[in-house]
Amino acid sequence: MGHHSCCNQQKVKRGLWSPEEDEKLIRYITTHGYGCWSEVPEKAGLQRCGKSCRLRWINYLRPDIRRGRFTPEEEKLIISLHGAVGNRWAHIASHLPGRTDNEIKNYWNSWIKKKIRKPSSTSSTNIAPSIIEQNSQFTYTQNQQMDFLNQDLATKRQIQDTLYPLPCPQFMFDIGLAMDGANGNVDGKIDQFLQENAGLINSETWQVNQNQEMIQPVSYTSALDPNCLPPLMENLESMVPMEVQSCSINLEGQMTLDCLQRNELNEWDDTQQCPNFFFWDQAEGQLGGQEIYPTSSSTGNILSSYPSSL
DNA sequence: AACCGGGGCAACCGCCGGTCG
DNA sequence: TCGACCGGCGGTTGCCCCGGT
């Protein structure tokens, strides 16, 4: 008893997968692909439930899976992202190509155990404990913050629309890693990213106040030839030259830029309602964060503030 | 050699939201 | 509208390995 409903049929095998079973699943998926997992066991000749097949494929058999120890960079990324979003392992995994949520979850759990077992390491070179303390989801204790984090995407968008009613586009970037915990400056990667991809040059330093409640307005200006067409960006649905008027950080450590964009004549245009662009959201397949994260060398710091417009 | 305990990790469980008839 | 079904997700379990005794 207690088996999942999909596994109640007779002759359903459980437990570790044998090499023969793996081979069957690989052969089936590589020749037929996967559409309906519940059909896979029968068609592949496996005495497993579809869910088990899916799990085995996603967590172990996929060709693009990445194995072996986590690199220091991956470790930093996990720590930083966990600080930003808590135990949302799938979200964290989406920032680490080839890594699965299960693997990251396992890593985190054993890692946490280690840290708990020897908590008195005060070495300043050992960044982990302080980072965890700073970034733990347990620092997000206010109901409103947790409520926001728990919303689905549509609701978040509604909230965002309420928070940012400006008739200009909003470009959102996931900058969890880009915040330098030591001095509050944003890692240069963001500036580089914006300059390379949107032709924007930042003339001021990014800052947060002592309470980490807001970021100062910044002045990005376009470095593009006005006659140029907007640059095209891989993996991003659309990106146009823009002039940033102000920015703020939301509860997930995302930066929102309120800005003007150019119209089809390449003129700055503040007269018409512009759509919102959300580059951050993995579920939508518009992942801007990847462009910023991987090579960032800063340790990350989480802003638990509300957007300045609140 | 046998036992034991802890750690790592693959797999399972239960829940939830989306979809479809 | 509703219920069955399915996939995705996070929490949890339990097996296996390995080092110590």
Side-chain angles (χ1 to χ4, degrees):
Chain A
M1 307 313 146
H3 293 180
H4 191 271
S5 57
C6 80
C7 306
N8 283 343
Q9 301 161 7
Q10 291 181 341
K11 287 170 52 179
V12 169
K13 188 168 179 294
R14 301 168 72 243
L16 293 180
W17 280 63
S18 69
E20 292 75 22
E21 288 178 307
D22 283 346
E23 195 185 334
K24 281 182 181 176
L25 184 56
I26 291 172
R27 198 185 308 137
Y28 178 80
I29 297 297
T30 51
T31 56
H32 298 86
Y34 53 88
C36 181
W37 283 107
S38 60
E39 295 174 355
V40 168
E42 188 185 346
K43 292 185 175 176
L46 288 162
Q47 317 296 321
R48 296 271 180 174
C49 69
K51 223 171 172 177
S52 180
C53 295
R54 175 186 163 273
L55 207 66
R56 183 64 179 167
W57 176 260
I58 289 176
N59 282 344
Y60 203 84
L61 299 177
R62 306 195 327 242
D64 59 334
I65 210 86
R66 191 173 142 86
R67 310 224 142 267
R69 281 186 60 83
F70 285 93
T71 66
E73 288 73 25
E74 286 177 316
E75 189 173 299
K76 274 188 191 175
L77 192 50
I78 291 170
I79 292 169
S80 181
L81 286 168
H82 187 271
V85 303
N87 294 359
R88 290 170 59 190
W89 308 115
H91 173 90
I92 294 173
S94 71
H95 289 271
L96 289 99
R99 301 292 191 180
T100 68
D101 53 353
N102 208 39
E103 193 177 13
I104 293 168
K105 179 171 54 184
N106 285 334
Y107 172 73
W108 181 265
N109 287 335
S110 56
W111 191 78
I112 275 287
K113 276 184 211 162
K114 274 185 212 158
K115 295 299 167 188
I116 289 174
R117 203 176 304 123
K118 42 175 181 177
S120 58
S121 170
T122 52
S123 164
S124 60
T125 58
N126 184 6
I127 61 164
S130 62
I131 290 292
I132 285 184
E133 204 166 336
Q134 275 178 29
N135 292 357
S136 164
Q137 82 264 27
F138 300 119
T139 62
Y140 301 126
T141 52
Q142 297 181 38
N143 290 337
Q144 222 174 337
Q145 290 179 331
M146 292 311 297
D147 285 346
F148 183 88
L149 290 176
N150 289 332
Q151 301 302 324
D152 61 22
L153 177 64
T155 311
K156 279 179 180 172
R157 287 199 168 184
Q158 279 184 2
I159 294 173
Q160 292 291 346
D161 289 344
T162 306
L163 294 177
Y164 304 103
L166 302 173
C168 63
Q170 298 171 358
F171 296 82
M172 301 189 68
F173 302 90
D174 192 341
I175 62 163
L177 247 202
M179 296 303 298
D180 182 341
N183 55 22
N185 291 339
V186 170
D187 188 284
K189 287 294 172 189
I190 288 204
D191 292 344
Q192 184 185 338
F193 175 78
L194 289 175
Q195 183 174 345
E196 288 178 355
N197 294 295
L200 299 172
I201 293 178
N202 181 16
S203 58
E204 294 183 21
T205 303
W206 294 77
Q207 290 180 348
V208 291
N209 67 11
Q210 290 168 335
N211 298 324
Q212 298 187 337
E213 282 175 348
M214 69 170 289
I215 277 211
Q216 289 183 344
V218 296
S219 57
Y220 274 99
T221 54
S222 174
L224 293 180
D225 181 334
N227 297 318
C228 288
L229 291 175
L232 293 177
M233 297 175 63
E234 262 188 77
N235 301 324
L236 300 186
E237 190 170 334
S238 67
M239 184 91 174
V240 296
M242 58 186 179
E243 181 173 343
V244 179
Q245 300 189 311
S246 66
C247 77
S248 56
I249 301 290
N250 78 357
L251 302 177
E252 292 191 313
Q254 296 168 311
M255 176 176 63
T256 297
L257 305 174
D258 297 332
C259 50
L260 302 178
Q261 72 171 101
R262 294 184 182 225
N263 60 19
E264 54 277 14
L265 300 175
N266 227 21
E267 301 163 334
W268 295 113
D269 188 350
D270 61 351
T271 62
Q272 58 185 7
Q273 292 276 331
C274 300
N276 295 334
F277 297 87
F278 292 86
F279 290 146
W280 159 75
D281 186 67
Q282 162 77 356
E284 296 274 308
Q286 302 171 0
L287 187 54
Q290 285 287 359
E291 303 292 327
I292 297 173
Y293 272 120
T295 56
S296 174
S297 59
S298 58
T299 55
N301 191 25
I302 302 309
L303 296 173
S304 57
S305 66
Y306 290 106
S308 57
S309 58
L310 266 185

